[in-house]
Amino acid sequence: MFGFQRLEIYQLSKEIVKIAYSMTRKFPNGERYALVQQMNRAAVSISSNIAEGTSRASNKEQAYFISIAYGSLMELICQSEIAYDMDYISALELDKFIQNAEVLSIKMSKYKKYLKEKRY
């Protein structure tokens, strides 16, 4: 098992991917190459950047990749709200996603702070 696979934020980010893919599966075909693709890429970007960041040598570099992952999460929140506004997802689906996103965002922020304060 690789180090990133043990991180709680990585495990939570994979849940976000599942939720995003579940939501976009029901979007109209006209969104296949627009909002669907953008949401799925943003979701995968979160997990990918967490994983990539752990391979970096310095805590500063690792924190940088957590920042990128955090930005992708914020992008996905925005896109989910747009999907709700367009009636592609229900209020219940949006709420479930937002709850998961809030938990992940808090834990990512704490992990980034930990990395910045950690000294070797």
Side-chain angles (χ1 to χ4, degrees):
M1 181 176 275
F2 293 96
F4 71 88
Q5 293 171 307
R6 289 186 207 89
L7 292 174
E8 184 180 12
I9 58 171
Y10 175 72
Q11 296 302 324
L12 292 171
S13 72
K14 289 195 318 179
E15 288 303 314
I16 291 287
V17 172
K18 291 177 190 175
I19 293 168
Y21 271 75
S22 175
M23 288 190 301
T24 60
R25 204 172 284 130
K26 299 177 288 181
F27 284 20
N29 284 337
E31 291 292 349
R32 177 169 303 209
Y33 299 106
L35 192 56
V36 169
Q37 190 175 50
Q38 194 148 1
M39 287 179 71
N40 290 344
R41 290 180 88 175
V44 170
S45 175
I46 300 164
S47 300
S48 299
N49 279 292
I50 291 168
E52 185 174 353
T54 62
S55 72
R56 301 302 169 147
S58 73
N59 292 341
K60 183 177 179 180
E61 284 180 297
Q62 290 179 31
Y64 172 75
F65 279 89
I66 297 300
S67 293
I68 293 172
Y70 187 89
S72 293
L73 179 61
M74 295 302 111
E75 181 181 350
L76 187 55
I77 290 168
C78 169
Q79 294 160 349
S80 297
E81 289 178 343
I82 291 168
Y84 172 74
D85 292 343
M86 300 298 294
D87 291 324
Y88 297 159
I89 62 172
S90 69
L92 185 62
E93 288 172 303
L94 179 63
D95 288 344
K96 178 185 176 191
F97 170 74
I98 294 294
Q99 287 173 7
N100 282 272
E102 285 177 347
V103 169
L104 178 57
S105 70
I106 290 166
K107 290 184 182 290
M108 286 172 65
S109 294
K110 288 181 179 179
Y111 186 67
K112 182 179 170 185
K113 183 179 178 185
Y114 161 77
L115 288 170
K116 286 185 171 188
E117 293 173 350
K118 188 174 158 185
R119 304 274 185 244
Y120 280 176

